[in-house]
Amino acid sequence: MIKIKGLHKSYRIGKNSLHVLKGINFNVEEGEMVAIMGSSGSGKSTLLNIIGMLDVADEGEYTLDNIEIKDLDETKAAKYRNRFLGFIFQSFNLINYKTALENVELPLYYQKVPRKERQEKATQYLAKVGLTDWIKHLPSELSGGQKQRVAIARAMAAEPKVLLADEPTGALDSTTSNEVMQLIQEINDEGKTILVVTHENDIANMCKRIVQLKDGVIIEDKIVEQVRALAHV
């Protein structure tokens, strides 16, 4: 599903250049659930941004679902992102003046899905994350866990090939984190490929494979026995 070969990325800082990714080789098969770990500055967010087509590598190859991702202008990158990728962010990234339903509809709107179908699909995905009673509520009326569920429903609504979760539990307490991870595991159980960037070991262990980055290189890549999240009843 994802093939990355010899990926390098540097940023200019004043007169200096900071080499963030130093020849990353990394493959993800369809249906995997992979944690990307590393301390601040290890390159994990840069790697996720390149996979998410929010940033571009300086050199190396990146193939997503057998399509080589290169030389994309912003229009084409946006089109590919919409077609292939769903994003879940630590800060939820919901639009405050739109209801839960309208937030989930957004990617479908960009895909030019007709309005009635958009609403039906968004309602269906909100039901899937347990928020049927909250579809008309604004983000300000939702708890952190509910906001993240809306974000997950939004990410899933466009039926992406890959789900990218950047510190999805970073703003949540441990009980809510558990519930969100249980939901993400269930989505993976259905066959969805998921990448989770996290600095928390317990979250990483809820994935099936852990890739450890340090100073822009992968220092460890191991399959782990997945810990199932148990939502507290």
Side-chain angles (χ1 to χ4, degrees), residues 166-222:
D166 193 359
E167 301 279 4
T169 59
L172 306 173
D173 63 54
S174 58
T175 303
T176 314
S177 295
N178 230 324
E179 289 168 0
V180 165
M181 285 308 293
Q182 185 183 39
L183 190 54
I184 291 173
Q185 284 181 339
E186 285 167 5
I187 293 165
N188 175 245
D189 291 344
E190 291 168 6
K192 188 71 67 193
T193 309
I194 302 178
L195 296 186
V196 180
V197 163
T198 182
H199 63 276
E200 299 173 66
N201 284 317
D202 56 341
I203 298 298
N205 283 313
M206 291 180 188
C207 299
K208 296 173 179 170
R209 175 180 159 202
I210 300 175
V211 173
Q212 191 91 30
L213 258 70
K214 187 178 181 183
D215 298 331
V217 293
I218 291 174
I219 56 166
E220 189 175 43
D221 183 345
K222 62 178 182 183

Side-chain angles (χ1 to χ4, degrees), residues 3-21:
K3 291 188 177 122
I4 283 175
K5 195 173 165 192
L7 211 67
H8 285 265
K9 179 70 182 177
S10 297
Y11 293 104
R12 294 218 52 92
I13 297 174
K15 290 179 180 173
N16 302 318
S17 178
L18 182 64
H19 199 173
V20 182
L21 296 178

Side-chain angles (χ1 to χ4, degrees), residues 16-194:
N16 302 318
S17 178
L18 182 64
H19 199 173
V20 182
L21 296 178
K22 304 168 184 169
I24 298 280
N25 296 306
F26 175 64
N27 290 345
V28 179
E29 301 298 324
E30 188 168 352
E32 278 199 278
M33 184 170 173
V34 184
I36 300 174
M37 293 198 79
S39 57
S40 187
S42 62
K44 60 185 191 298
S45 290
T46 302
L47 178 59
L48 196 76
N49 285 342
I50 290 170
I51 293 170
M53 293 178 245
L54 299 167
D55 203 347
V56 183
D58 298 331
E59 59 179 275
E61 296 167 16
Y62 168 28
T63 309
L64 176 61
D65 200 29
N66 297 319
I67 291 177
E68 196 175 346
I69 306 298
K70 65 170 189 180
D71 304 330
L72 300 185
D73 58 33
E74 186 41 50
T75 310
K76 204 167 185 185
K79 190 177 126 193
Y80 278 1
R81 273 198 299 271
N82 237 327
R83 183 168 140 203
F84 288 119
L85 303 167
F87 293 89
I88 305 167
F89 299 97
Q90 177 177 344
S91 54
F92 320 127
N93 284 22
L94 300 178
I95 295 173
N96 290 328
Y97 58 84
K98 289 190 179 290
T99 63
L101 185 70
E102 290 165 339
N103 267 287
V104 175
E105 277 184 63
L106 263 185
L108 302 170
Y109 171 80
Y110 290 123
Q111 285 185 350
K112 298 187 167 50
V113 173
R115 188 171 174 202
K116 189 167 182 289
E117 195 185 324
R118 275 203 317 263
Q119 288 181 336
E120 282 170 6
K121 241 183 179 178
T123 304
Q124 176 193 334
Y125 276 99
L126 281 163
K128 214 169 180 176
V129 299
L131 288 179
T132 299
D133 295 340
W134 298 86
I135 62 174
K136 292 199 165 79
H137 287 66
L138 295 169
S140 59
E141 301 168 313
L142 304 175
S143 69
Q146 287 171 326
K147 285 180 198 172
Q148 196 57 295
R149 284 166 183 266
V150 173
I152 291 169
R154 179 185 58 191
M156 293 297 296
E159 291 168 8
K161 300 272 188 184
V162 179
L163 209 53
L164 302 177
D166 193 359
E167 301 279 4
T169 59
L172 306 173
D173 63 54
S174 58
T175 303
T176 314
S177 295
N178 230 324
E179 289 168 0
V180 165
M181 285 308 293
Q182 185 183 39
L183 190 54
I184 291 173
Q185 284 181 339
E186 285 167 5
I187 293 165
N188 175 245
D189 291 344
E190 291 168 6
K192 188 71 67 193
T193 309
I194 302 178

